[in-house]
Amino acid sequence: MSDELDQLTDAEPVKDPGLPAHQHRPTDVDPAQELRAERQITGMFTVASLLLVGFCVAYIVIDKDQTFLGWSAMNFTLGATLGGALLLMGVGIIQWAKKLMGDDEMVELRHPAASTAEERAATLEDLNAGINESGFGRRPLIRRSLFLSMSFLALPTVIMLRDMGPLPYGHKNTVWKKGMRVVNDVAGTPIKPSDLQVGQLVNAEPAIMYEKDKDGEAVLHGTELLQEKSKAAVIVVRMRPEAITPAKGRENWGIDGILCYSKICTHVGCPISLWEQQTHHLLCPCHQSTFDLADNGKVVFGPAHRPLPQLPLALDSEGYLIAVSDFPEVVGPSYPELARDQKRLDDKS
Amino acid sequence: MRKLSTRRRHPLAGIVVLLLALGVVGGVYSAVRFQPASAAETASQNDVDAGRKLFLVGCASCHGKNASGIETKRGGNYGPSLIGVGAAAVDFQVGTGRMPMAQSAPQAPAKDPEYTAEETKQLAAYIATLGAGPAIPDDEYTDISGKTIEQIREGGEFFRTNCTACHNSVGAGGALPGGKYAPRLDGVSAKHIAEAMMTGPQQMPVFSDDVITPEDKSNIIAYIKQVQNQPNYGGMAGGGLGPVSEGLFTWLIGIGGLLIAAVWIGAHGARVKKK
C-alpha cells in the first residue's frame, strides 16, 4: 500500500497529455485542392497588379471634373483601384498562409533570459575599470560641474518656449476704445439702431479692423489683425427692451434693447454666435456653456465660470453704434491670474 | 381772428378743437405710417379676402381671430401675434409646411405643405395687410445664375461668419438645447432661405436687409447651393456632420469590423481526418 503511494507522489499527479494529433488541411492531402489554392492566390496577385496599372491609367485619362454617383470620378477610381489592389494582396497573403504554408505545431521550450554569472561579473569589472580610469569618482569638481551644465541645458528650452507667446496678463485690453464704431463683420459697414429688428443678431467687429492709413494700407494686418480680432470680436443683438434686466450700473449700456457682448466664450475661448432669439440664450458649440444675454450675459448652463463681458454702447453724431469704452472686464478664456488682471484693469479705469 | 377769439368760450368750442386735433393727427399718421409691404399692394383684394377665410379656418385657433396671438396665463402663447410679420414669414412657415403645426413641440418641423401655392399666396396677402413686414423676396435675392466665383466666395465668408455656428459649415444643420435644432439646408429653395434670413423663424435670429444686404443674401444662397452641388471629392460625406461622428464611425464600425474579420479568419479553416 505505502509503496503504491510513493510511486504516485513521484510521478506527475496529472499526466501531461501532450499535443493533440496534427490534423491536415484539404490542401495538404489533395493535390487538386493544392493546385486550386495556388491558382487562386496567383490570380489575386495578378488582378492586384492589373488594378495598379488601372490606377495609373485612371490618373492620366479621367478628367478631374467628371463625376460618378455624385462623387469625383477620378477620386473614386483611384480609391477603388488602389484599395482593391491592396485588399487583394492582403487576402492573397492570408489565403497563402492558411492554405499552403506549413502549419505543423512546434514546441519551443523557454530558457532563462539572464546572462550567466561569469558574464555579469566581467561586465561589472569592465564598468568599474572605466569609472576608475576616467576619474569620475575621484574628481568631484569635474563631476559636479558636468551635472550643473547638464541641468542648465533646460534653460534655453524654457526661455524659447516662454517666448512663443505673450502671457495672458498685460494683454487684457482690446482695440475697442471710446467712440469706435461697431461695424458688420466681413462687410465692414457701420450699424444704425434702425437697421436692427427685434430678434436680430449681427456678428460685428471694431471699425479699426477695416480702417486704412493714409497710404491706403490696412491699419491692422497679418498676425496682429488676427490676434486683435480674436479678442475684440463681438455680437450685437436686439431684444424687446422690457425683456432685458440690466445689472446695477449697466442700465444705459444698450440702446432700445440693442446690446453688445464679447463673442469669445469665457470658458476656453471659442467664438460663439449660436443665439436663440426667443430665449435670449447664447450657446457655445464647444462645451455647451450657455449665457443669458437678456440677463447681463449670466452663465445659465455649462462649464463657463463667469458672465460674458458686455461692451457699453452709445450713438455717435451720425447715429451709428459706437463703443463707450473698452470692455470693462477681461475678455477671452479664464485663466488663473484673471482676478489679479481684473483688479489692474479696474485700477486703470 | 377776432371772430374766432370771441367764440373760444362757446360750449361747442372744445368739441370743435378736439375734432380738428383728431383730424390732424389721423391725417399725419396715415401720411407718414409705414406703407403695407409691396406684396399686399400687388395682391388683389380677392386674395386678401380668400386669405382671411383660410386664416379663420386653419390658423385662428392658435393665432387668434385677429391674428394678434393668444396668450397663456403663464405669459407664453399658443400662437404668437402675426401683426407685422409680413408676407415673407407666412410664405416661409406655410410654404415649408412648418405651419400649421401638427402638435405642440419644441420646434415646428418642416413637412409637406398643407396649403397649395395659391392658398399660401392668399394667406400671405391677408397677413401682409395687418402691418408692415418683409415682403416675399424677388429675384434680387434668389437669382444666383450669374454669380461669379468671387461673389460665391464672399457669400461663403458671410455664411461662415453668420450661419455656421448653428447650421454647420456645409449647411448640414446642428443641435440646439431643449430638443431644438438648426435644420439642414440642402433642398431648401433659395426663396425660403432668403425668407428665413429676413424674418428669423422660431429661434433663428433676424438678418435684416440693412445689415446683410439683398446682394449679400443672394451671395450666401449661391454659396450654399455651390457647396451642395459640388462633387464630393472626399468620397461619402457621411452627412457632413464633422470629425466627431466620422471618428466614432471609423473606430467603432471600421476598426471593430476589421477586428471581427481578423478573429473570424483565425478561427476558421477546413481540416480533414485523412492522414
Side-chain angles (χ1 to χ4, degrees):
Chain A
M1 184 67 195
S2 71
D3 284 354
E4 272 177 43
L5 206 66
D6 285 347
Q7 272 177 359
L8 265 177
T9 42
D10 283 348
E12 290 175 55
V14 178
K15 202 168 176 297
D16 178 8
L19 290 171
H22 178 69
Q23 281 187 314
H24 289 288
R25 299 166 297 190
T27 43
D28 293 332
V29 293
D30 184 356
Q33 292 258 23
E34 192 183 349
L35 191 65
R36 188 162 158 255
E38 196 179 345
R39 281 185 188 147
Q40 278 175 349
I41 297 158
T42 318
M44 286 185 218
F45 290 158
T46 314
V47 174
S49 319
L50 291 177
L51 282 173
L52 289 173
V53 174
F55 178 93
C56 303
V57 173
Y59 185 73
I60 295 162
V61 170
I62 298 178
D63 185 62
K64 72 174 168 51
D65 292 327
Q66 220 170 320
T67 59
F68 171 73
L69 297 175
W71 301 324
S72 155
M74 183 196 259
N75 281 5
F76 178 82
T77 320
L78 296 186
T81 49
L82 188 60
L86 289 171
L87 183 73
L88 283 174
M89 285 159 82
V91 172
I93 289 169
I94 288 171
Q95 182 79 341
W96 185 5
K98 284 196 69 95
K99 295 278 179 187
L100 298 179
M101 288 185 190
D103 75 335
D104 288 302
E105 293 81 3
M106 278 171 63
V107 177
E108 196 176 354
L109 294 174
R110 274 191 215 167
H111 302 287
S115 308
T116 62
E118 297 89 64
E119 278 172 342
R120 281 187 276 176
T123 309
L124 265 181
E125 205 173 301
D126 285 352
L127 190 67
N128 283 328
I131 289 170
N132 280 330
E133 272 176 38
S134 67
F136 193 76
R138 280 182 293 118
R139 298 184 197 279
L141 201 60
I142 292 183
R143 191 178 66 221
R144 283 171 197 160
S145 56
L146 172 66
F147 285 150
L148 186 73
S149 68
M150 280 164 76
S151 60
F152 273 40
L153 203 55
L155 282 181
T157 321
V158 172
I159 290 294
M160 279 159 69
L161 284 176
R162 158 67 187 83
D163 209 36
M164 278 177 79
L167 290 176
Y169 49 85
H171 293 264
K172 54 206 175 270
N173 300 321
T174 69
V175 290
W176 285 109
K177 60 179 188 206
K178 187 173 166 45
M180 185 173 290
R181 275 184 180 168
V182 182
V183 300
N184 192 12
D185 198 356
V186 184
T189 45
I191 303 163
K192 277 185 175 164
S194 57
D195 296 343
L196 305 185
Q197 298 168 16
V198 169
Q200 179 129 11
L201 164 79
V202 182
N203 292 282
E205 300 285 348
I208 193 173
M209 300 280 167
Y210 297 91
E211 273 168 19
K212 296 205 160 75
D213 61 17
K214 56 184 185 304
D215 301 328
E217 299 277 332
V219 176
L220 292 174
H221 50 83
T223 314
E224 195 190 3
L225 173 72
L226 291 178
Q227 283 176 345
E228 292 305 338
K229 197 173 182 179
S230 68
K231 290 191 292 182
V234 291
I235 51 168
V236 179
V237 292
R238 183 163 202 170
M239 294 168 263
R240 291 188 193 287
E242 61 269 22
I244 300 169
T245 51
K248 201 161 174 291
R250 289 192 177 191
E251 293 87 354
N252 57 356
W253 282 18
I255 291 146
D256 299 337
I258 299 173
L259 299 181
C260 182
Y261 286 93
S262 167
K263 195 179 175 177
I264 314 300
C265 183
T266 58
H267 176 219
V268 286
C270 291
I272 37 177
S273 57
L274 224 150
W275 193 53
E276 293 191 330
Q277 61 131 321
Q278 291 174 353
T279 60
H280 313 133
H281 287 175
L282 186 73
L283 177 81
C284 179
C286 294
H287 306 99
Q288 280 71 52
S289 291
T290 309
F291 304 89
D292 190 347
L293 298 195
D295 188 9
N296 309 292
K298 191 178 90 177
V299 182
V300 291
F301 182 79
H305 212 65
R306 61 192 180 98
L308 209 56
Q310 188 179 350
L311 186 74
L313 288 181
L315 294 180
D316 66 8
S317 54
E318 290 174 60
Y320 290 110
L321 291 176
I322 54 167
V324 173
S325 65
D326 193 1
F327 283 101
E329 291 156 300
V330 180
V331 296
S334 300
Y335 50 95
E337 299 88 351
L338 183 79
R340 190 190 62 197
D341 282 1
Q342 183 64 53
K343 194 168 171 300
R344 283 189 194 169
L345 203 62
D346 293 343
D347 291 346
K348 224 172 95 180
S349 62
Chain B
M1 220 44 207
R2 196 189 161 88
K3 218 174 194 176
L4 207 64
S5 147
T6 53
R7 292 186 185 172
R8 70 185 193 276
R9 295 194 193 284
H10 192 274
L12 288 177
I15 294 167
V16 170
V17 168
L18 186 70
L19 283 175
L20 254 172
L22 281 173
V24 168
V25 168
V28 168
Y29 176 75
S30 62
V32 303
R33 81 185 175 106
F34 292 111
Q35 293 302 311
S38 58
E41 288 159 6
T42 56
S44 70
Q45 189 59 39
N46 287 344
D47 281 348
V48 174
D49 292 343
R52 178 168 159 75
K53 279 191 189 120
L54 285 169
F55 179 86
L56 288 174
V57 173
C59 319
S61 58
C62 297
H63 290 290
K65 277 184 189 166
N66 300 318
S68 52
I70 299 181
E71 289 190 355
T72 58
K73 274 185 183 168
R74 290 170 60 199
N77 56 52
Y78 291 111
S81 166
L82 299 183
I83 294 167
V85 299
V90 179
D91 192 60
F92 176 82
Q93 299 282 1
V94 179
T96 61
R98 286 179 166 83
M99 290 291 148
M101 248 176 132
Q103 72 261 330
S104 182
Q107 187 161 326
K111 56 184 187 290
D112 288 337
E114 296 287 334
Y115 292 96
T116 62
E118 179 66 22
E119 288 167 335
T120 308
K121 191 179 137 209
Q122 291 165 345
L123 277 170
Y126 167 61
I127 295 297
T129 59
L130 302 176
I136 294 170
D138 51 23
D139 286 351
E140 189 189 6
Y141 298 84
T142 53
D143 182 23
I144 54 168
S145 50
K147 289 290 177 193
T148 62
I149 201 75
E150 282 74 27
Q151 287 172 310
I152 293 172
R153 195 175 292 147
E154 197 180 316
E157 221 172 311
F158 274 102
F159 186 81
R160 284 189 295 277
T161 304
N162 294 292
C163 319
T164 50
C166 302
H167 286 289
N168 163 309
S169 53
V170 292
L176 294 173
K180 290 162 282 187
Y181 56 91
R184 295 180 71 85
L185 298 181
D186 51 350
V188 183
S189 72
K191 186 180 73 165
H192 287 150
I193 295 175
E195 284 167 350
M197 287 189 272
M198 293 156 79
T199 63
Q202 305 190 34
Q203 292 298 346
M204 178 168 162
V206 180
F207 296 92
S208 69
D209 283 356
D210 298 308
V211 179
I212 308 283
T213 63
E215 201 201 333
D216 296 338
K217 284 193 172 78
S218 63
N219 289 348
I220 291 173
I221 293 167
Y223 169 77
I224 295 171
K225 297 292 175 196
Q226 165 88 359
V227 162
Q228 285 163 358
N229 293 335
Q230 70 188 4
N232 255 321
Y233 288 103
M236 278 183 272
L241 292 177
V244 173
S245 56
E246 283 166 24
L248 204 68
F249 183 86
T250 308
W251 278 93
L252 293 183
I253 312 288
I255 297 182
L258 285 179
L259 280 173
I260 291 169
V263 169
W264 183 84
I265 289 170
H268 285 75
R271 299 278 161 179
V272 288
K273 287 270 159 64
K274 205 171 136 191
K275 298 272 170 194

